[in-house]
Amino acid sequence: MFLDNLSADVICGAMGRQNWVARWTEIGDAQCLLADLNIKKGAFDEATEAWLCALTAFEVARRMVDEEDPKRGDISAKVETNIQKFRLSLRHKIERVKISCSDQAEFLAYYLPAGNSELCAPAVICISSEEETGATLLGRLLPAVIGRGMSLLIISHDDISSSSGSQVLLSCCLDYLSLRRDGNAGRIGVYGEGLSAALATDFAASDSRVGAVVCDGGLWSLTRLLASVGWMTRGAVDEDVVSELRLRLVRQLRCPALVVAGGRGIVSVSEAIKLQADCLMASIDMELAIPQMARTPAGEIENFVSFDDRIFGWLKHKLT
């Protein structure tokens, strides 16, 4: 409700922003204390609810604080601390797993089991944005996926992008999920945030095992391609040619795609709408998701709660 009703009246200048950051941080701290009390009483369900509320409150505060503000790091530290408590104290375990590849490259990831007895639950490889750690992404997604009957493998953008073989590393992630006792090779999706959306597109185009992908639909690559062509030809590219290039890139995907535009996406809404129209004409299974944004004196703030629900509702539908 708070995110839906953000406006200039809610956040008035820097002081108003700082007050709301402090308020939501206090809400998160209070929910953490409530979770600790419920754990001591053996009330695990109530503790889970309190921890999920705390993580959401911290994410609201993190999005409202300035990027250069030291409080941003403090809030991220609170998220990581509470994820560790969540891991160790509740029945719903979060595993810290090592992903290894044949070339001896390896990195750590978070694995969230589906949380039920179903051995063939769908799973999603989630890649953080270039500005987030895996723990930060996990903290935000936990409230959106608990109870959905889905497993998550959370990996950091830095762990993937720092290697020239990002597609190989993502294939190793898919191998890991496929070989788990609770895995199902036919029901694995990929979700990329920020620049990781382009990595998700490339991976879904290269590996036919991907069952659904939340990505940029190839628009990041198209933007770079058009920039190069424009520089070489010193002129604009014909729209019919651009449309054909869009379709050529998106046709490489071998699974349903949800393209995120605006907000946390790396592509413009106008380009994504053009892509959606092209895909509709070509009968390509591509949908478009645009987050609800609140414009305030502090800048645009995204309603990540409803948007994450939209994304994982789509993934559950496509992978079931």
Side-chain angles (χ1 to χ4, degrees):
M1 291 175 63
F2 175 79
L3 291 169
D4 279 339
N5 292 285
L6 274 177
S7 66
D9 295 332
V10 176
I11 301 179
C12 300
M15 185 58 66
R17 184 172 183 165
Q18 292 175 11
N19 290 340
W20 279 113
V21 169
R23 174 61 176 151
W24 280 95
T25 303
E26 289 173 2
I27 292 172
D29 289 337
Q31 290 294 323
C32 290
L33 290 174
L34 179 60
D36 291 340
L37 291 173
N38 282 320
I39 283 293
K40 292 178 180 178
K41 293 190 298 185
F44 294 106
D45 290 341
E46 291 80 358
T48 297
E49 182 69 20
W51 259 317
L52 296 181
C53 288
L55 290 171
T56 299
F58 289 142
E59 182 64 18
V60 172
R62 194 181 71 86
R63 286 173 180 253
M64 296 178 71
V65 74
D66 289 326
E67 291 188 6
E68 297 79 14
D69 194 320
K71 293 189 184 72
R72 192 177 183 89
D74 296 339
I75 295 169
S76 295
K78 289 176 181 289
V79 170
E80 294 196 26
T81 297
N82 282 282
I83 286 176
Q84 293 304 317
K85 290 183 178 180
F86 196 100
R87 283 183 62 200
L88 300 175
S89 302
L90 298 181
R91 297 167 182 168
H92 203 108
K93 295 296 184 181
I94 299 174
E95 302 174 27
R96 197 75 165 120
V97 299
K98 182 181 293 185
I99 306 297
S100 301
C101 293
S102 57
D103 62 354
Q104 297 184 345
E106 61 182 30
F107 56 92
L108 293 174
Y110 289 100
Y111 179 73
L112 174 70
N116 55 37
S117 58
E118 184 182 356
L119 294 181
C120 297
V124 181
I125 300 169
C126 302
I127 317 167
S128 76
S129 71
E130 63 280 11
E131 300 171 351
E132 292 181 327
T133 64
T136 300
L137 178 59
L138 175 60
R140 198 193 81 228
L141 295 185
L142 273 172
V145 298
I146 291 292
R148 285 191 186 270
M150 303 175 69
S151 300
L152 298 187
L153 184 69
I154 307 284
I155 59 180
S156 167
H157 173 87
D158 289 343
D159 288 332
I160 299 298
S161 62
S162 60
S163 170
S164 58
S166 60
Q167 303 309 308
V168 174
L169 295 179
L170 288 171
S171 289
C172 292
C173 292
L174 201 149
D175 291 340
Y176 171 82
L177 291 174
S178 300
L179 294 174
R180 283 187 64 100
R181 181 173 174 271
D182 56 353
N184 185 326
R187 303 171 68 191
I188 298 176
V190 180
Y191 168 31
E193 287 245 325
L195 286 176
S196 296
L199 296 179
T201 298
D202 294 341
F203 180 52
S206 66
D207 198 317
S208 60
R209 296 176 295 170
V210 177
V213 61
V214 180
C215 63
D216 78 328
L219 291 178
W220 182 252
S221 295
L222 176 65
T223 298
R224 291 183 297 171
L225 175 62
L226 293 178
S228 298
V229 172
W231 180 80
M232 289 187 292
T233 62
R234 304 296 181 183
V237 182
D238 184 78
E239 180 56 34
D240 289 336
V241 174
V242 175
S243 179
E244 181 57 37
L245 287 172
R246 284 195 206 98
L247 285 175
R248 184 183 302 174
L249 289 169
V250 80
R251 279 195 177 106
Q252 295 177 18
L253 297 176
R254 310 181 190 188
C255 62
L258 180 67
V259 173
V260 173
R264 75 183 70 154
I266 58 173
V267 296
S268 70
V269 172
S270 60
E271 282 301 306
I273 290 174
K274 292 175 184 177
L275 174 64
Q276 184 184 38
D278 290 341
C279 289
L280 183 63
M281 293 292 292
S283 299
I284 296 173
D285 190 355
M286 193 283 287
E287 296 181 42
L288 177 61
I290 302 174
Q292 177 184 351
M293 305 294 295
R295 289 178 173 83
T296 75
E300 290 190 328
I301 299 178
E302 175 188 307
N303 187 333
F304 64 91
V305 175
S306 60
F307 199 52
D308 288 338
D309 184 68
R310 160 87 166 95
I311 288 173
F312 282 92
W314 181 87
L315 281 165
K316 181 67 180 289
H317 173 70
K318 293 298 182 179
L319 296 173
T320 298

